[in-house]
Amino acid sequence: MGDLKKELALALLLAVISVGFGATDPHDLAILNDFRKGLENPELLKWPSKDDDPCGNKWPCVFCDGSRVSQIQVQGFGLKGPLPQNFNQLSMLSNIGLQKNQFYGPLPSFNGLKNLQYAFLNYNNFTSIPADFFTGLDSLEVLALDGNNLNGSSGWMFPPALSNSAQLTNLTCMSCNLAGPLPDFLGSMSSLSVLSLSGNRLTGRIPASFKGMVLTKFWLNNQMGDGMSGSIDVVTTMTSLNSLWLHGNHFSGTIPDNIGDLSLLQDLNLNGNEFVGLIPKSLADMSLRNLDLNNNNFMGPVPKFKASKVSYSSNQFCLTEEGVACAPQVMALIEFLGAMGYPSRLVSAWTGNDPCEGPWLGLNCRSGDVSVINLPKFDLNGTLSPSLADLISLAEIRLQDNHLSGTIPSNWTGLKSLSLLDLSGNNISPPVPRFSSTVKLSTGGNPLLDGKQSPSSEIGGPSPSDSRSSPTTEPSPSSGNGVRQASTRSKASIIVSTVVPVVSVVVVAFVAIPLSIYLCKKRKRNGQAPSSLVVHPRDPSDPNNLVKIVVANNTNNSTSTASGSGSGSRNYSGFGDSHVIETGNLVISVQVLRNVTNNFSSENELGRGGFGVVYRGELDDGTKIAVKRMESGVISSKALDEFQSEIAVLSKVRHRHLVSLLGYSIAGNERLLVYEYMSEGALSKHLFHWESFKLEPLSWKRRLNIALDVARGMEYLHSLAHQSFIHRDLKSSNILLGDDFRAKVSDFGLVKLAPDGERSVVTRLAGTFGYLAPEYAVTGKITTKADVFSFGVVLMELLTGLMALDEDRSEESQYLAAWFWHIKSDKEKLMAAVDPSLGCKEDISESICIIAELAGHCTAREPTQRPDMGHAVNVLAPLVEKWKPIDDDTEEYSGIDYSLPLNQMVKGWQESEGSDFSYVDLQDSKGSIPSRPTGFADSFTSVDGR
Ligand SMILES: *[C@@H]1O[C@H](CO)[C@@H](O)[C@H](O)[C@H]1NC(C)=O
Ligand SMILES: *[C@@H]1O[C@H](CO)[C@@H](O)[C@H](O)[C@H]1NC(C)=O
Ligand SMILES: *[C@@H]1O[C@H](CO)[C@@H](O)[C@H](O)[C@H]1NC(C)=O
Ligand SMILES: *[C@@H]1O[C@H](CO)[C@@H](O)[C@H](O)[C@H]1NC(C)=O
Ligand SMILES: *[C@@H]1O[C@H](CO)[C@@H](O)[C@H](O)[C@H]1NC(C)=O
């Protein structure tokens, strides 16, 4: 009763103070007036000031239903200000369009707006959203909240009350600061057709409740932070899908075979995830408009795609040409990986189309065929694939001490050359097929087999305990790894003592350090290098092109290739072990290298390092190589055997971000190493001397790419199978850039093999002052963490454009690492330290802070406090994948115009930044697909064809 009186009084009051009696509900009028009053620029509304009848007099932008306000449409007016907090008392509101203004402050609750059908609140500056906002929105059909940074650092998530909006069809909330996992209830919203949640901080999997949703557009791309993960199997049940964007996350697993069920799909973007396995035929056969598969770990052949636009660079395809089958051995091995769930360590190492070439972890070959699978203690899960039965030369399968389950495939008994099968310490189930008596079978330590009569014992195989205690991790001496193993076993050590000046973060001191050089003794080589050599490239259109070096032997004129593809004779008299050939480790005649470098002429000089001078060499057909000529005395003739065995090891280290060693040459005092040629030279040149070389300064994007490339290369070095390689001399002059400005780490002259297990050796002090980890500088003790320190210093150089050590700088900033530690946590000082050549064209402050933090961690004083390189990769990868330049022209300040088709977004980046970005590489300036994508091909392309 009292309320009613009050309301009447209020209405009367309003009526009295107004000029006349209007047809508009006075409550609604009051809210409109509050709305106007709160604005900084109300004049833009053009609402008459002395008028109280928006409905009767039809104020601009206001629509009524009788006396009640039903719509306010002010999109793009440039309005600034908050909304009145009692906004939800406009209870007849059905359609509100406030998008693309600068409304700020907390969003009022919309609780109880039961007639509201359309709510466009997107692209404003609202700062928070109340928890009861979504309550009672019974008629809601479209809700757009994109581009409002709601609820600050904690972010927010749709509350369950939203599920009562049963008619909701379009829910878009891109870059609206959602955080955490997607709630299950979204899956039960059966009208939902558009769900666009790009650019948030979503994590976790796509909920199982999403099964069968009728979404046409489903966008989850570019989640910041951890991103979304898990398999995408559930999307194949969303058969209405037209556009599916999942790029820039951590989704994993294979693409489900039934992806072809999505018969309406036009746009599929999976770029920058962790997908593995083969591309299913059903995907290749889909008539998509756009298909983006870049930057995953897809393997096997590139199928012929029906999509009108497709890109797939930076994967692990065996070949890059569409529709060309992989070698049968490769397919068998991929299936083997598939049965084990594609373990990432092997996926990243098993690249290319020849398991006998390059770093196929855990495999050894004989005569170009896989003869040994050696993967003990690899944490392998899953089952054994019958596909191994197709590797007819397999002699040894060593898979002991993993978590493999299932049965031993019966067709493995058909492996004629098999002599050893060690599956001990797994979880294999019976029955065990009957192998021939020549097979040594070890199945001890498999709980499901234990106690059962194993056929192996019938045929006199070793007892389980025998096999467990034998040194089974040792590959057979016939294998390629034999060299590496032999070299770590029989060490001849020479103790050299010298005085080395040391600069470290904490001390500048002179420390005398006894230098122990562990030198490795190789098996005897008999004979010398062949007397003549012809170098010619393979088919230049083959992107997998390695320089093919044919060695001609004087005595019998037989020739063979180093690429290992042919099955011709590899048995050179006078050329030593066949595995030397198989691993592509090449002896090259000095005369040839003299000729191709124009007799080591100074105009061919590429650079000088601690070990000697590097020359450009040009083969007859124009193929370029880099020849490092060691200074005489660096390798004495006494140390020659060791030098050669070191080369044997180094030439096997192949990775797309490591400069490949292609061969070597020894004659008299000449010691020459042949490397792939990197056209843009050292990173240091581009960072510190770009002006004098008249180069463009490196953009931030390129720097991020370079940092990631280096991190990936170093991660690979550090995590090689049984050994860990430590670079010891990582610095920006040892980081080389190819013509696409992608980086590779070079100079393994100092890399030594760390012993198995204990990864610390007291060793010769390598490394260059300024990059040296303190513990390495002071004690000479080295672990992979010394490389991490150096990497951190390189990051600082990328960020500041300052050299690691520069005595011309003031005392406190001479040593970059020490100085950087002082400034890195002060944002202002940090920003002031950013390389001025980066200009202000790019909005980089956020990634700067991340890089600075990473650089700090990497250079922590205690080695144990430093992350490993894998962490650096994890930090850098999302920056590279997600970072884009701000395009000043887009009206949407988020900087990403999601409404554009993908190819136009890509073109935008291209125009603003040049075409160096790997995602962009795929499209030439006309937007068409070049016939030869880059990406994986880089990993084995040694030299540019022209
Ligand atoms: C709105 O937010 C954008 C981007 O965060 C900012 O540039 C702009 O200054 C803000 N406007 C107002 C009025 O706060
Ligand atoms: C957003 O933050 C406000 C206040 O900061 C809080 O009251 C509200 O519950 C949050 N919204 C959601 C949806 O969590
Ligand atoms: C809902 O989203 C679809 C697809 O983006 C769009 O075509 C449609 O116009 C949207 N509906 C409304 C009312 O905005
Ligand atoms: C095997 O499974 C375990 C537990 O799920 C997991 O931690 C491990 O990474 C898996 N191994 C591989 C090689 O994927
Ligand atoms: C082994 O079995 C698999 C699957 O059953 C088959 O694909 C493969 O051809 C077989 N290999 C041999 C050599 O029998």
Side-chain angles (χ1 to χ4, degrees):
M1 193 61 194
D3 276 357
L4 186 63
K5 262 191 190 152
K6 250 190 242 160
E7 274 179 33
L8 276 173
L10 181 66
L12 266 174
L13 182 67
L14 283 168
V16 168
I17 61 170
S18 329
V19 176
F21 286 90
T24 306
D25 178 276
H27 286 100
D28 287 6
L29 176 64
I31 293 165
L32 288 186
N33 279 326
D34 283 351
F35 171 69
R36 165 159 61 179
K37 242 182 280 162
L39 294 177
E40 293 177 25
N41 47 9
E43 66 283 356
L44 297 179
L45 284 171
K46 303 201 165 63
W47 284 354
S49 52
K50 295 217 163 71
D51 180 10
D52 63 358
D53 191 8
C55 291
N57 296 333
K58 302 213 183 315
W59 286 8
C61 319
V62 179
F63 301 84
C64 296
D65 193 357
S67 65
R68 301 300 307 274
V69 173
S70 62
Q71 296 193 39
I72 302 175
Q73 298 295 345
V74 294
Q75 59 264 37
F77 270 50
L79 297 172
K80 261 188 209 174
L83 294 187
Q85 287 304 303
N86 57 352
F87 203 77
N88 60 348
Q89 289 174 18
L90 291 173
S91 57
M92 292 305 288
L93 204 59
S94 66
N95 187 337
I96 177 137
L98 304 182
Q99 67 270 39
K100 299 183 184 172
N101 284 288
Q102 291 176 43
F103 292 114
Y104 54 76
L107 265 170
S109 174
F110 276 26
N111 186 350
L113 288 177
K114 62 179 190 313
N115 296 302
L116 188 64
Q117 291 173 285
Y118 303 97
F120 293 95
L121 304 167
N122 41 328
Y123 301 110
N124 279 293
N125 286 33
F126 292 116
T127 49
S128 67
I129 184 160
D132 68 345
F133 180 94
F134 299 90
T135 307
L137 303 180
D138 298 342
S139 309
L140 194 62
E141 290 174 32
V142 174
L143 175 61
L145 287 163
D146 320 68
N148 288 291
N149 187 22
L150 299 171
N151 280 29
S153 56
S154 60
W156 66 290
M157 186 37 73
F158 302 116
L162 178 62
S163 62
N164 295 326
S165 301
Q167 298 166 62
L168 190 63
T169 60
N170 291 29
L171 177 58
T172 66
C173 202
M174 298 186 287
S175 300
C176 69
N177 203 24
L178 291 173
L182 284 176
D184 287 342
F185 72 79
L186 286 176
S188 63
M189 299 193 64
S190 53
S191 305
L192 209 52
S193 159
V194 172
L195 184 58
S196 300
L197 306 177
S198 319
N200 285 295
R201 294 188 275 146
L202 297 176
T203 55
R205 309 170 142 256
I206 302 175
S209 64
F210 277 40
K211 187 169 173 213
M213 281 183 88
V214 295
L215 296 178
T216 56
K217 183 164 157 183
F218 188 23
W219 286 3
L220 294 174
N221 52 294
N222 298 77
Q223 299 303 324
M224 289 164 279
D226 293 343
M228 296 197 65
S229 53
S231 102
I232 59 162
D233 289 0
V234 68
V235 302
T236 60
T237 61
M238 302 182 188
T239 49
S240 308
L241 275 177
N242 174 276
S243 176
L244 179 59
W245 282 10
L246 301 175
H247 44 292
N249 279 292
H250 293 277
F251 289 115
S252 59
T254 53
I255 299 190
D257 280 338
N258 59 349
I259 185 96
D261 295 354
L262 303 182
S263 56
L264 303 175
L265 196 63
Q266 292 282 305
D267 242 332
L268 176 59
N269 194 332
L270 303 177
N271 191 340
N273 280 289
E274 290 159 20
F275 292 112
V276 292
L278 303 171
I279 302 291
K281 181 168 182 325
S282 53
L283 176 61
D285 287 346
M286 290 174 82
S287 304
L288 300 167
R289 225 173 26 219
N290 259 306
L291 173 59
D292 190 336
L293 301 171
N294 298 309
N295 299 291
N296 281 288
N297 293 312
F298 292 119
M299 305 185 89
V302 180
K304 271 220 180 320
F305 288 103
K306 291 224 173 94
S308 25
K309 222 172 233 182
V310 59
S311 52
Y312 44 79
S313 76
S314 292
N315 278 292
Q316 312 279 349
F317 292 119
C318 67
L319 295 165
T320 51
E321 217 174 314
E322 281 188 29
V324 179
C326 303
Q329 291 201 78
V330 169
M331 288 311 286
L333 288 165
I334 292 175
E335 277 182 49
F336 170 63
L337 287 189
M340 301 188 301
Y342 296 103
S344 56
R345 201 163 152 205
L346 295 181
V347 166
S348 58
W350 289 14
T351 65
N353 198 27
D354 184 351
C356 299
E357 187 177 275
W360 285 58
L361 253 185
L363 297 187
N364 293 305
C365 290
R366 190 177 300 183
S367 307
D369 292 318
V370 177
S371 60
V372 177
I373 292 182
N374 185 35
L375 298 166
K377 294 189 185 148
F378 260 67
D379 206 10
L380 299 171
N381 301 318
T383 60
L384 299 169
S385 166
S387 68
L388 286 194
D390 297 341
L391 299 174
I392 48 166
S393 299
L394 261 186
E396 299 178 10
I397 303 176
R398 300 172 180 270
L399 294 169
Q400 66 272 27
D401 300 320
N402 285 294
H403 321 291
L404 297 164
S405 55
T407 56
I408 304 174
S410 57
N411 69 358
W412 285 17
T413 56
L415 285 164
K416 293 282 180 292
S417 313
L418 194 66
S419 60
L420 185 126
L421 173 57
D422 191 346
L423 294 168
S424 51
N426 280 289
N427 197 19
I428 304 291
S429 356
V432 176
R434 187 170 283 268
F435 284 88
S436 117
S437 61
T438 53
V439 179
K440 191 168 155 190
L441 177 67
S442 302
T443 57
N446 284 280
L448 300 174
L449 297 181
D450 281 355
K452 298 209 168 60
Q453 184 78 336
S454 135
S456 64
S457 55
E458 287 168 29
I459 59 169
S463 74
S465 60
D466 283 349
S467 74
R468 301 300 296 281
S469 58
S470 66
T472 45
T473 51
E474 190 76 54
S476 74
S478 64
S479 65
N481 265 355
V483 178
R484 205 183 290 183
Q485 291 289 336
S487 61
T488 54
R489 304 285 152 193
S490 49
K491 288 175 192 143
S493 60
I494 299 168
I495 311 292
V496 185
S497 216
T498 187
V499 178
V500 182
V502 166
V503 183
S504 86
V505 180
V506 276
V507 285
V508 178
F510 288 83
V511 189
I513 295 167
L515 304 178
S516 315
I517 310 174
Y518 288 90
L519 293 169
C520 314
K521 213 181 177 87
K522 187 187 179 290
R523 280 182 293 154
K524 280 238 166 64
R525 291 171 42 87
N526 45 354
Q528 310 123 343
S531 48
S532 74
L533 175 139
V534 194
V535 184
H536 51 95
R538 270 192 227 164
D539 176 6
S541 67
D542 176 3
N544 264 335
N545 195 353
L546 253 185
V547 178
K548 181 192 207 170
I549 303 187
V550 178
V551 185
N553 189 307
N554 263 1
T555 54
N556 64 5
N557 261 349
S558 72
T559 65
S560 185
T561 67
S563 59
S565 54
S567 56
S569 161
R570 292 161 194 286
N571 192 12
Y572 312 100
S573 54
F575 195 57
D577 312 299
S578 63
H579 64 256
V580 173
I581 298 297
E582 283 167 8
T583 55
N585 177 26
L586 293 161
V587 181
I588 301 172
S589 107
V590 174
Q591 193 50 46
V592 168
L593 295 179
R594 254 186 212 294
N595 291 346
V596 301
T597 58
N598 195 12
N599 209 9
F600 303 115
S601 67
S602 56
E603 66 264 31
N604 276 18
E605 195 176 311
L606 288 170
R608 277 167 190 274
F611 279 70
V613 184
V614 184
Y615 298 90
R616 179 191 303 111
E618 188 149 341
L619 307 181
D620 288 344
D621 67 337
T623 306
K624 288 180 180 146
I625 54 176
V627 182
K628 175 174 271 189
R629 192 184 197 189
M630 313 287 266
E631 261 153 30
S632 57
V634 170
I635 311 284
S636 69
S637 27
K638 234 169 112 189
L640 212 57
D641 270 3
E642 291 75 14
F643 174 65
Q644 285 169 347
S645 80
E646 199 65 34
I647 298 305
V649 170
L650 298 180
S651 65
K652 278 199 272 178
V653 179
R654 290 264 155 89
H655 184 269
R656 80 174 76 152
H657 298 305
L658 298 175
V659 175
S660 296
L661 176 61
L662 301 175
Y664 69 99
S665 185
I666 296 165
N669 284 327
E670 282 288 17
R671 312 274 179 269
L672 300 164
L673 298 176
V674 180
Y675 287 99
E676 63 178 311
Y677 175 72
M678 299 289 288
S679 59
E680 289 295 332
L683 171 61
S684 50
K685 180 170 99 177
H686 293 266
L687 277 181
F688 314 129
H689 311 296
W690 56 274
E691 277 167 310
S692 48
F693 284 100
K694 301 201 164 50
L695 301 167
E696 284 272 289
L698 291 172
S699 68
W700 183 240
K701 187 164 64 187
R702 281 189 172 161
R703 293 179 201 217
L704 286 178
N705 265 307
I706 289 165
L708 177 60
D709 293 349
V710 172
R712 287 194 161 135
M714 293 304 297
E715 179 190 35
Y716 182 77
L717 270 189
H718 287 178
S719 59
L720 281 174
H722 304 296
Q723 297 90 5
S724 177
F725 283 83
I726 303 174
H727 189 296
R728 289 158 210 244
D729 197 17
L730 181 64
K731 54 187 174 184
S732 49
S733 57
N734 274 342
I735 295 166
L736 303 183
L737 305 179
D739 46 16
D740 52 358
F741 284 91
R742 300 310 295 262
K744 299 189 186 200
V745 176
S746 86
D747 205 340
F748 300 101
L750 298 168
V751 175
K752 296 272 169 183
L753 232 39
D756 299 355
E758 203 246 303
R759 293 190 170 178
S760 171
V761 279
V762 176
T763 176
R764 200 179 89 135
L765 249 190
T768 305
F769 305 145
Y771 298 90
L772 271 189
E775 78 281 1
Y776 183 27
V778 173
T779 67
K781 248 195 163 227
I782 184 139
T783 66
T784 53
K785 293 298 175 69
D787 284 345
V788 174
F789 185 98
S790 308
F791 177 74
V793 178
V794 170
L795 287 179
M796 294 172 188
E797 292 183 323
L798 285 167
L799 205 152
T800 61
L802 298 175
M803 286 189 275
L805 178 62
D806 184 350
E807 280 159 14
D808 291 338
R809 292 199 297 258
S810 72
E811 202 168 330
E812 80 270 20
S813 64
Q814 271 188 9
Y815 194 87
L816 180 61
W819 175 71
F820 194 84
W821 264 80
H822 285 300
I823 59 140
K824 74 175 171 51
S825 13
D826 181 334
K827 180 137 189 207
E828 233 172 274
K829 284 187 183 160
L830 177 64
M831 285 306 167
V834 170
D835 187 346
S837 77
L838 285 168
C840 45
K841 212 172 89 219
E842 308 171 275
D843 178 19
I844 56 180
S845 55
E846 196 180 324
S847 52
I848 291 269
C849 294
I850 296 171
I851 297 292
E853 194 187 330
L854 178 61
H857 289 313
C858 288
T859 52
R861 184 181 305 182
E862 291 298 323
T864 53
Q865 301 289 307
R866 296 173 208 149
D868 53 28
M869 291 309 305
H871 173 80
V873 171
N874 289 340
V875 172
L876 291 163
L879 294 183
V880 167
E881 274 145 18
K882 281 172 201 148
W883 187 85
K884 305 177 191 86
I886 293 282
D887 183 347
D888 289 330
D889 296 330
T890 53
E891 54 175 296
E892 288 161 14
Y893 59 75
S894 65
I896 305 161
D897 184 350
Y898 294 92
S899 62
L900 286 178
L902 193 60
N903 61 331
Q904 282 182 37
M905 289 169 65
V906 167
K907 249 174 106 180
W909 303 350
Q910 240 172 344
E911 275 152 21
S912 57
E913 277 302 313
S915 58
D916 56 327
F917 207 32
S918 66
Y919 291 12
V920 174
D921 276 341
L922 286 166
Q923 318 246 337
D924 66 18
S925 52
K926 294 181 288 294
S928 67
I929 311 298
S931 56
R932 205 188 116 176
T934 57
F936 160 75
D938 293 344
S939 58
F940 283 92
T941 303
S942 53
V943 278
D944 193 306
R946 63 219 78 235

